[in-house]
Amino acid sequence: MAKQLDYHTIREIFTRFHAHDPEPKGELEHVNAYTLLVAVALSAQATDAGVNKATRALFQIADTPQKMLDLGEEGLTQHIKTIGLFRQKAKNVIKMSRILVEEYDGEVPNSRAALQSLPGVGRKTANVVLNMWWRHPAQAVDTHIFRVGNRTGICPGKDVDAVERAIEDNVPVDFQLHAHHWLILHGRYHCKARKPMCATCIIRDLCQFEDKNL
């Protein structure tokens, strides 16, 4: 684990991220808050590309909780069977949809506590929905952010909760909204797990990673 970078270095890192990509976007395809929630829930232990491939046809016929209930668990399973853990995920999506219809008038709540009370929705999923749909500065820490945070020193921590707190405590406020997207994309395409692309990295001179692949 790298040591925590100082405020000025972190500001310079995010200034560079912003200059490179001013409005980073999540890669899960969706048409409303509900389909975003479903897509994020399905993405656990799966790739965004794999989820998008499975949900393109699904969301054309089931883009609301009621339509998902009408489709039913078996119908949903046929659409998402290429995704890991698809049977359990189908059960959760149907249960989630029923709760949204019965308790929230078919609307997705915009509170973390309410979101996390839904089947199959953990803190990371709730934070993604809060950030991407309602533009809350919520930090959804996945494996990419955990790796980048600890390698670089931007937000080191022993677990995802510690990394989330480190982002909130150390990333300048004006970069908080997009912080987790910049970190995810950097980890996905540059600071890769096995072969980080340090030679072309825009923050390599600021990064604490000792084993730079140059």
Side-chain angles (χ1 to χ4, degrees):
M1 184 190 301
K3 67 178 182 180
Q4 176 68 58
L5 292 171
D6 64 78
Y7 174 85
H8 296 291
T9 302
I10 293 175
R11 172 164 281 285
E12 175 59 24
I13 285 172
F14 281 92
T15 297
R16 294 183 191 183
F17 284 157
H18 178 269
H20 180 71
D21 186 2
E23 284 282 331
K25 297 285 192 293
E27 297 183 326
L28 285 171
E29 297 173 6
H30 58 283
V31 296
N32 54 29
Y34 173 70
T35 53
L36 174 60
L37 176 62
V38 171
V40 179
L42 294 176
S43 72
Q45 296 179 276
T47 65
D48 288 1
V51 172
N52 290 339
K53 187 176 181 180
T55 58
R56 282 182 192 126
L58 171 65
F59 291 158
Q60 289 180 7
I61 59 173
D63 60 355
T64 69
Q66 186 59 58
K67 289 179 183 177
M68 192 67 76
L69 291 176
D70 294 342
L71 178 63
E73 186 176 324
E74 279 306 309
L76 171 57
T77 299
Q78 291 306 307
H79 281 276
I80 67 170
K81 60 186 178 182
T82 56
I83 300 174
L85 307 175
F86 67 93
R87 292 196 184 281
Q88 184 57 50
K89 289 177 179 179
K91 291 180 187 298
N92 285 337
V93 168
I94 293 300
K95 289 178 183 176
M96 170 207 303
S97 301
R98 184 167 291 112
I99 291 171
L100 291 175
V101 168
E102 294 176 355
E103 299 182 20
Y104 296 97
D105 296 322
E107 299 294 327
V108 176
N110 65 350
S111 94
R112 183 184 286 119
L115 285 167
Q116 285 188 246
S117 72
L118 297 171
V121 179
R123 186 178 180 88
K124 186 184 83 169
T125 296
N127 281 349
V128 171
V129 174
L130 290 171
N131 180 272
M132 288 182 63
W133 192 257
W134 283 288
R135 297 181 71 81
H136 292 186
Q139 309 302 334
V141 178
D142 69 351
T143 55
H144 296 301
I145 294 183
F146 187 80
R147 178 175 67 256
V148 172
N150 279 291
R151 266 185 185 170
T152 62
I154 294 171
C155 47
K158 293 182 178 180
D159 54 42
V160 293
D161 291 338
V163 170
E164 181 180 336
R165 288 193 299 272
I167 297 173
E168 293 171 346
D169 292 344
N170 296 290
V171 174
V173 172
D174 46 324
F175 293 122
Q176 286 275 336
L177 178 61
H178 294 311
H180 95 273
H181 277 133
W182 279 315
L183 292 170
I184 287 172
L185 295 172
H186 190 65
R188 184 174 290 162
Y189 297 111
H190 299 283
C191 195
K192 299 178 182 180
R194 295 186 179 179
K195 291 186 177 180
M197 300 166 65
C198 302
T200 56
C201 175
I202 63 174
I203 64 167
R204 67 180 180 273
D205 57 316
L206 304 174
C207 169
Q208 294 286 320
F209 187 40
E210 294 181 355
D211 300 321
K212 288 190 175 70
N213 180 19
L214 299 174

